[in-house]
Amino acid sequence: MSQEALTHDGPAADGAPPEGMPMPPQPDPKLRQLDYLVGTWKMSGVTEEGPMGPPAQMGGTETFEWLEGGFFLVHRWEGYIDGPMGKMPDVGFEFFDYDPESGKFRSHYFSSFGPYHPEQSHYVGEFDGDKLVLVGPAKYVRELQADGTIKYDCDFPVGPDQWVPFMHAKLEKVSD
């Protein structure tokens, strides 16, 4: 190894890696479609009577922020579901990324309602117009509204390509 290689202490002034070193990976530009979620939000909503039980009120705080490097959007929430069994905490993390091979966004979900399971905690989807639609064991739809709020709905499957509404919520931005 040359003395120059041993004494080089970082990228060139133009941000390029040292000669002979590959460029570090860069986040897919499609990830920037998720920028509208970034910030801290007040969540309020309801669940509907259905396969998961009687209706309930929901509330809490949700925060979306880019993990350093820009490859993952981290969603953290602290909330509650207040129904016939009382107020139950709903706390968790979700990590969004983008798979350029499939052209789909992916979500990996971890919550206070149960252990991680690859098939129950993984969602895949894309934008349908202005709506981010992610499908896994449920279907989540987030849509930015003209007033700056986000409409947030969740449906549960009742058969092949058949869904019933489960949750309807609104996210109101508290801070960037």
Side-chain angles (χ1 to χ4, degrees), residues 143-149:
E143 180 180 18
L144 183 63
Q145 303 297 292
D147 64 0
T149 62

mmCIF file of all heavy atoms in Angstrom, residues 143-149:
data_model
loop_
_atom_site.group_PDB
_atom_site.id
_atom_site.type_symbol
_atom_site.label_atom_id
_atom_site.label_comp_id
_atom_site.label_asym_id
_atom_site.label_seq_id
_atom_site.Cartn_x
_atom_site.Cartn_y
_atom_site.Cartn_z
ATOM 1 N N GLU A 143 -53.055 9.008 3.256
ATOM 2 C CA GLU A 143 -53.234 9.984 2.176
ATOM 3 C C GLU A 143 -53.176 11.399 2.730
ATOM 4 O O GLU A 143 -53.943 11.752 3.635
ATOM 5 C CB GLU A 143 -54.580 9.755 1.486
ATOM 6 C CG GLU A 143 -54.850 10.709 0.352
ATOM 7 C CD GLU A 143 -56.204 10.467 -0.312
ATOM 8 O OE1 GLU A 143 -57.075 9.815 0.273
ATOM 9 O OE2 GLU A 143 -56.374 10.958 -1.446
ATOM 10 N N LEU A 144 -52.271 12.215 2.173
ATOM 11 C CA LEU A 144 -52.160 13.619 2.542
ATOM 12 C C LEU A 144 -53.388 14.356 2.026
ATOM 13 O O LEU A 144 -53.749 14.234 0.853
ATOM 14 C CB LEU A 144 -50.881 14.218 1.954
ATOM 15 C CG LEU A 144 -50.586 15.668 2.324
ATOM 16 C CD1 LEU A 144 -50.363 15.829 3.824
ATOM 17 C CD2 LEU A 144 -49.362 16.158 1.551
ATOM 18 N N GLN A 145 -54.011 15.134 2.910
ATOM 19 C CA GLN A 145 -55.200 15.903 2.555
ATOM 20 C C GLN A 145 -54.816 17.346 2.226
ATOM 21 O O GLN A 145 -53.735 17.815 2.591
ATOM 22 C CB GLN A 145 -56.195 15.881 3.724
ATOM 23 C CG GLN A 145 -56.613 14.481 4.161
ATOM 24 C CD GLN A 145 -57.353 13.735 3.073
ATOM 25 O OE1 GLN A 145 -58.473 14.090 2.708
ATOM 26 N NE2 GLN A 145 -56.734 12.682 2.547
ATOM 27 N N ALA A 146 -55.720 18.067 1.566
ATOM 28 C CA ALA A 146 -55.465 19.457 1.164
ATOM 29 C C ALA A 146 -55.182 20.360 2.367
ATOM 30 O O ALA A 146 -54.427 21.323 2.256
ATOM 31 C CB ALA A 146 -56.650 19.994 0.365
ATOM 32 N N ASP A 147 -55.746 20.033 3.537
ATOM 33 C CA ASP A 147 -55.536 20.869 4.726
ATOM 34 C C ASP A 147 -54.258 20.504 5.486
ATOM 35 O O ASP A 147 -53.998 21.030 6.567
ATOM 36 C CB ASP A 147 -56.746 20.799 5.661
ATOM 37 C CG ASP A 147 -56.993 19.415 6.251
ATOM 38 O OD1 ASP A 147 -56.230 18.457 5.966
ATOM 39 O OD2 ASP A 147 -57.970 19.278 7.013
ATOM 40 N N GLY A 148 -53.438 19.588 4.938
ATOM 41 C CA GLY A 148 -52.181 19.215 5.567
ATOM 42 C C GLY A 148 -52.284 18.052 6.539
ATOM 43 O O GLY A 148 -51.266 17.572 7.045
ATOM 44 N N THR A 149 -53.491 17.581 6.818
ATOM 45 C CA THR A 149 -53.653 16.399 7.666
ATOM 46 C C THR A 149 -53.439 15.149 6.823
ATOM 47 O O THR A 149 -53.395 15.212 5.592
ATOM 48 C CB THR A 149 -55.046 16.353 8.323
ATOM 49 O OG1 THR A 149 -56.043 16.259 7.285
ATOM 50 C CG2 THR A 149 -55.298 17.587 9.185
#
